Amino acid sequence: KLLPNPSNGEFKITGSFSKNKPVQVVVFNTLGQQVMKAEYVLSNSAEISIDLSAMPSGVYTIGINSGAEIAVKRLVLQH
């Protein structure tokens, strides 16, 4: 889940991620250009905080790969 959506740029990804396993997050703009890529290793939390407030308003595609599962979500960014 992406919360909040629409977002002002700061949002959280929540899910049932495995502890101490890498979770890769990739963000694409409406042109399909990759604007962010990061890897997170979660120890105690099932939540990833991301800040896209430097990006222009629009619709972004968020790819989340936890190794066991791949999800693709859409995020509306409004400033």
Side-chain angles (χ1 to χ4, degrees), residues 40-53:
Y40 302 88
V41 177
L42 306 173
S43 55
N44 294 326
S45 175
E47 185 174 276
I48 298 169
S49 296
I50 295 183
D51 186 357
L52 294 180
S53 57

Side-chain angles (χ1 to χ4, degrees), residues 41-78:
V41 177
L42 306 173
S43 55
N44 294 326
S45 175
E47 185 174 276
I48 298 169
S49 296
I50 295 183
D51 186 357
L52 294 180
S53 57
M55 300 292 167
S57 295
V59 178
Y60 291 82
T61 302
I62 316 292
I64 307 153
N65 184 346
S66 65
E69 184 179 342
I70 297 172
V72 177
K73 303 287 184 183
R74 299 229 173 199
L75 176 76
V76 177
L77 190 57
Q78 295 177 335

Side-chain angles (χ1 to χ4, degrees), residues 5-72:
N5 192 5
S7 170
N8 64 358
E10 295 181 14
F11 65 97
K12 295 179 192 262
I13 299 172
T14 60
S16 55
F17 304 116
S18 299
K19 289 184 181 180
N20 301 314
K21 300 270 185 176
V23 177
Q24 185 180 66
V25 177
V26 184
V27 181
F28 298 93
N29 64 16
T30 52
L31 301 176
Q33 299 166 321
Q34 182 178 303
V35 296
M36 189 201 102
K37 181 177 182 179
E39 192 169 280
Y40 302 88
V41 177
L42 306 173
S43 55
N44 294 326
S45 175
E47 185 174 276
I48 298 169
S49 296
I50 295 183
D51 186 357
L52 294 180
S53 57
M55 300 292 167
S57 295
V59 178
Y60 291 82
T61 302
I62 316 292
I64 307 153
N65 184 346
S66 65
E69 184 179 342
I70 297 172
V72 177

